[in-house]
Amino acid sequence: QVQLVESGGGLVQPGGSLRLSCAAPRIIFSIYAMGWYRQAPGKQRELVAVITSDSITNYADSVKGRFTISRDNAKKMVYVQMNSLKPEDTAVYYCNAAFSSTSYWGQGTQVTVSS
């Protein structure tokens, strides 16, 4: 049963922007910490940004100042606004929901930054 669904990926030129969205209609969204991770070809999956149930945010050093994570508990959605995109941001981006020992993953959405 699909718990998380990402959308918003695509091809963008360097310096451009994208906003990724993740819908989580089947979980008790407000209690979960929500995160965005990414995995580039040949690399391990890495944390991009996380927002706790109290809306405390944390970012990977590589995206600080460029990416902004946010959540809408009423809509059960989490977003990441990605600005000033670089070719090295190219990856499959995954949404994650975590609470205690429970963790859900989305199917991923491709982001390609290229001219």
Side-chain angles (χ1 to χ4, degrees), residues 19-80:
R19 189 177 83 150
L20 304 183
S21 301
C22 174
R26 294 187 175 89
I27 65 173
I28 306 173
F29 185 82
S30 61
I31 67 173
Y32 281 79
M34 301 299 297
W36 286 97
Y37 291 73
R38 67 187 181 188
Q39 187 166 17
K43 295 187 176 181
Q44 290 188 331
R45 191 173 297 189
E46 62 175 2
L47 174 69
V48 173
V50 64
I51 184 166
T52 70
S53 57
D54 296 328
S55 294
I56 297 169
T57 59
N58 194 26
Y59 297 90
D61 288 343
S62 59
V63 307
K64 280 182 181 176
R66 300 188 297 122
F67 289 14
T68 302
I69 189 170
S70 61
R71 65 189 295 159
D72 186 331
N73 287 348
K75 295 182 179 179
K76 294 190 173 183
M77 297 285 294
V78 63
Y79 310 95
V80 62

